[in-house]
Amino acid sequence: MKLPNKVDALDELTDATEFLSPARTAAAVRRLAAVYPHTALPAIYEKLVAVRRCATSAEPGYADPDGSQVDPLTKALALGIHGWSRHDLGDTREALATTQAGVLSAVVDARDPSAEVWLRGVQSLIAYRAGWVHEALRYARLGASVHDPEVGTASVWLHSLVALTQATLGDALAASAALRAAADARELSRRDELDEIGGLLLFDPARQSAYEALTRVFIPGAERRAIEAAESTLSSYEAVAPSGYSRSDEMLARVAIALAYASLDEIEATTEALRPVFRLDSAWRVHGLISLMMVVHVRLRRPMRARETRVRELQEEIETFCQMPLSLDLYT
């Protein structure tokens, strides 16, 4: 699916140097969350930063005519989305610090369990992509432990993150149990306010299949099931409306397929799985994707294939891809 890097849907927002009213700030945060998965970050980053500034401002008199201030949920979500963007840019420490501030706003001020669970998921994802897998598991467990019937699909995401981290750590039994918990959570979940906003805040079945695929890649003997799950994601995205599409999750599915084929020593299939990834413009080469591509590189390092030309060429192509990550400097 080809989507433009620029998003006309955000044109109704004011100039990035201006303050938005609390009501417009809330609308802007929700709009940014909705379009983020199918929008190249350089197209929205300036406004994302400005909206975060509006949501967290303590300026005197910053209120609507009726005296209302920015609500705590808007502040929590703005911090979480900004934390996600810093993660995409590879700034792990800033991403975690910003997201932790969002957690505090969600728990202490908003008292919103859905936002708390979602923000724990953001923390877990950031830590996982940084290679801090035990830390990622801790965050995922914190989110999965929030038992509230009002929490929507964020609960499915947290169980999926528990599964992914456990599989990465080599505990196949725990990972399989978490995958079942995610499936159960899907059956029991009801759409909440975050799900209605969509985008980053909605963990739909296509994203769940992508996470399942990556999880099964780390479970010995589950490579074929990983490929099936990833292909389910790709099939879903072929038919979905642009508003429901996620570029990052499509790429996650494709890398999962490549990892599965690499584990099966099917090098030609590994290469073909990565072709659409290699063609990505640098605007989409976020930190998480770069880290996953290097996992493929590691999996290709087998003594029996060390001298094979096609393996070396694929590794070099991965290295070239990873040397050109997303940089906002190219779009300013």
Side-chain angles (χ1 to χ4, degrees):
M1 178 180 294
K2 293 183 178 180
L3 294 170
N5 285 348
K6 293 186 178 180
V7 179
D8 296 333
L10 293 176
D11 286 348
E12 70 269 18
L13 301 184
T14 60
D15 186 88
T17 61
E18 298 177 359
F19 269 100
L20 299 172
S21 69
R24 295 192 71 190
T25 297
V29 167
R30 286 154 177 77
R31 185 62 183 155
L32 285 165
V35 304
Y36 195 115
H38 55 266
T39 307
L41 185 56
I44 58 172
Y45 186 75
E46 184 180 1
K47 288 183 177 179
L48 191 157
V49 172
V51 169
R52 179 251 174 130
R53 179 169 57 95
C54 293
T56 57
S57 174
E59 284 195 357
Y62 176 54
D64 275 338
D66 63 1
S68 62
Q69 301 285 334
V70 172
D71 63 281
L73 177 59
T74 292
K75 178 180 178 181
L77 295 180
L79 288 165
I81 297 166
H82 190 258
W84 194 304
S85 72
R86 295 309 306 177
H87 159 63
D88 279 346
L89 292 169
D91 190 350
T92 300
R93 294 192 181 279
E94 174 65 18
L96 283 175
T98 302
T99 307
Q100 178 61 29
V103 171
L104 291 175
S105 183
V107 174
V108 177
D109 300 324
R111 298 183 181 181
D112 189 303
S114 293
E116 177 188 353
V117 172
W118 180 74
L119 284 155
R120 289 300 188 191
V122 179
Q123 289 179 309
S124 180
L125 181 66
I126 294 169
Y128 181 81
R129 295 287 171 76
W132 309 338
V133 186
H134 287 282
E135 187 80 349
L137 177 58
R138 183 175 70 84
Y139 286 130
R141 282 174 167 166
L142 283 171
S145 67
V146 177
H147 299 294
D148 191 300
E150 299 303 315
V151 177
T153 61
S155 63
V156 186
W157 186 30
L158 269 296
H159 288 297
S160 297
L161 283 165
V162 171
L164 176 58
T165 51
Q166 292 282 33
T168 304
L169 291 170
D171 194 335
L173 290 178
S176 297
L179 285 175
R180 290 192 295 271
D184 292 341
R186 172 69 64 190
E187 293 295 325
L188 297 173
S189 68
R190 297 181 297 177
R191 288 178 72 91
D192 59 10
E193 181 180 355
L194 272 60
D195 294 329
E196 293 300 327
I197 295 170
L200 284 181
L201 309 180
L202 172 66
F203 193 71
D204 61 19
R207 293 184 69 194
Q208 186 175 356
S209 293
Y211 273 73
E212 178 185 348
L214 189 59
T215 298
R216 294 196 183 281
V217 160
F218 293 101
I219 299 176
E223 292 87 359
R224 297 295 179 187
R225 294 187 68 183
I227 293 169
E228 291 174 3
E231 288 178 343
S232 175
T233 296
L234 298 180
S235 296
S236 295
Y237 284 145
E238 286 178 358
V240 76
S243 61
Y245 170 72
S246 170
R247 177 83 69 177
S248 61
D249 291 308
E250 180 198 342
M251 294 303 120
L252 187 157
R254 294 190 183 281
V255 175
I257 291 173
L259 279 167
Y261 279 127
S263 298
L264 295 169
D265 281 327
E266 298 183 24
I267 305 305
E268 293 300 330
T270 304
T271 303
E272 288 305 307
L274 291 179
R275 285 298 169 215
V277 185
F278 288 139
R279 289 194 291 266
L280 277 180
D281 182 89
S282 61
W284 295 98
R285 298 185 186 186
V286 297
H287 172 68
L289 178 58
I290 295 295
S291 66
L292 283 177
M293 291 291 280
M294 288 308 300
V295 176
V296 182
H297 191 290
V298 171
R299 193 154 293 196
L300 290 168
R301 300 174 197 170
R302 298 186 180 223
M304 60 184 155
R305 293 192 175 277
R307 297 181 181 274
E308 289 189 19
T309 300
R310 57 181 180 170
V311 172
R312 186 185 68 251
E313 289 176 346
L314 180 54
Q315 288 176 322
E316 290 178 348
E317 197 165 1
I318 291 172
E319 291 174 15
T320 300
F321 177 90
C322 294
Q323 289 168 21
M324 295 183 287
L326 166 61
S327 172
L328 294 179
D329 293 340
L330 298 175
Y331 298 89
T332 56

